[in-house]
Amino acid sequence: QVQLVESGGGLVQAGDSLRLSCAASGLTFASYVMGWFRQAPGKEREFVAAHSWSPGSTRYAHSMKGRFTISRDNAKNTVYLQMHSLKPEDTAVYYCAATRKQTHDVGGYDYWGQGTQVTVSS
């Protein structure tokens, strides 16, 4: 019933920008913290950014600050991740997730999308 669907991934060159989208359904979107995570081959799934239900309340992994921006449009039930100055090390499957708690821990999120692949070439 709850569904999160990511889109916007693709193949880009280092230094390029990309915007990911996550469309949510089956939940009261405005009541959920929305997060972005990523997982590269051979690595653990890691926190990227989160946007709370509180207006303007966001947090980022330290390495992503200044390059990535998370935003949400409650009217469209959609959360976005705007990525700038992409680096090859940003290559990963990017997942969006939802939770009722203010947390960046993987285990704290209740719902997950299927992921979208982002590949950054040198």
Side-chain angles (χ1 to χ4, degrees), residues 11-51:
L11 174 63
V12 297
Q13 295 183 353
D16 284 353
S17 298
L18 200 61
R19 189 177 78 159
L20 307 182
S21 299
C22 174
S25 62
L27 51 74
T28 304
F29 185 77
S31 298
Y32 281 79
V33 173
M34 300 300 299
W36 285 98
F37 295 78
R38 69 185 186 186
Q39 187 166 23
K43 295 186 177 181
E44 300 281 343
R45 188 169 298 188
E46 66 174 339
F47 171 77
V48 174
H51 199 306

Side-chain angles (χ1 to χ4, degrees), residues 59-79:
R59 66 180 300 168
Y60 300 87
H62 186 266
S63 62
M64 265 68 80
K65 286 185 177 180
R67 294 196 301 123
F68 291 7
T69 302
I70 187 170
S71 61
R72 66 192 294 166
D73 187 337
N74 288 346
K76 297 181 179 179
N77 286 5
T78 301
V79 62

Side-chain angles (χ1 to χ4, degrees), residues 7-20 38-41 67-68 83 85-94 115-122:
S7 62
L11 174 63
V12 297
Q13 295 183 353
D16 284 353
S17 298
L18 200 61
R19 189 177 78 159
L20 307 182
R38 69 185 186 186
Q39 187 166 23
R67 294 196 301 123
F68 291 7
M83 304 183 290
S85 301
L86 284 165
K87 306 173 182 179
E89 50 263 46
D90 294 320
T91 295
V93 176
Y94 284 72
T116 185
Q117 177 71 47
V118 173
T119 303
V120 185
S121 65
S122 301

